[in-house]
Structures are given as C-alpha cells and as structure tokens.
Amino acid sequence: MSTKQAVRRWVWTGAITAVTIVGAIYGAGLRSQQQFTQETKRVLEASPEEKIAQLETVRSDLVRRRNDLQRKINNFSAQRLEREQASNKPR
C-alpha cells in the first residue's frame, strides 16, 4: 500500500511542479509582450520633439561607441606595426 502512496505522491509533486513552471514561463511571456506593447505605444504617441530628442540621444551614444572602436583599432594597428618593426630589425 505504501508503494502506491509513494507513486501517487511523486506524480502529484511532478504535476504541481510542472504546472508551476509552465505558469511562470507563460506569465513572463505575457509580461514581456505587455511591456513591448506599452513601449511601442509610447514611441508612436511621442511628439516630434520627443522623437528628435530620443534620436539625438541614440546618435550621441553611437558616436561615442564609434570613437571608442576607432581608438581601439588605432591602438591595435600601432601595436601591430611596432611588432612588425621589432621582428624586422636585424640582430
């Protein structure tokens, strides 16, 4: 008799766990979709001045990233050139 009860307990435990996990995933999906819808609505309802301000903010961030990447490329190129010159020196 205890074997049936143990099996029943494991089945119920697994079922409750599965329902909880599926509910959490489904709820998270709904929340993400709701946030996406709200953000889309906010962007569409923004005034031209707000849109311009948002675009300027994005542009300044992109320009900063570009400058950082260009600096890294320049540093890498300088290091590579130094290594090539060092390896080409007669010993």
Side-chain angles (χ1 to χ4, degrees), residues 48-78:
E49 292 82 14
E50 291 171 335
K51 289 180 182 179
I52 290 171
Q54 290 172 352
L55 289 173
E56 287 175 347
T57 302
V58 171
R59 182 181 187 279
S60 66
D61 185 48
L62 289 173
V63 167
R64 183 187 53 78
R65 284 184 186 179
R66 183 189 68 193
N67 292 339
D68 289 344
L69 288 173
Q70 189 61 47
R71 181 182 46 80
K72 288 178 183 179
I73 290 170
N74 292 341
N75 288 342
F76 177 77
S77 297

Side-chain angles (χ1 to χ4, degrees), residues 15-69:
I16 291 170
T17 303
V19 167
T20 303
I21 291 171
V22 169
I25 292 171
Y26 184 73
L30 285 177
R31 180 69 177 163
S32 296
Q33 185 179 8
Q34 182 183 26
Q35 288 175 341
F36 177 75
T37 304
Q38 287 175 348
E39 181 66 20
T40 303
K41 185 177 178 181
R42 186 183 66 79
V43 169
L44 290 175
E45 292 177 350
S47 69
E49 292 82 14
E50 291 171 335
K51 289 180 182 179
I52 290 171
Q54 290 172 352
L55 289 173
E56 287 175 347
T57 302
V58 171
R59 182 181 187 279
S60 66
D61 185 48
L62 289 173
V63 167
R64 183 187 53 78
R65 284 184 186 179
R66 183 189 68 193
N67 292 339
D68 289 344
L69 288 173

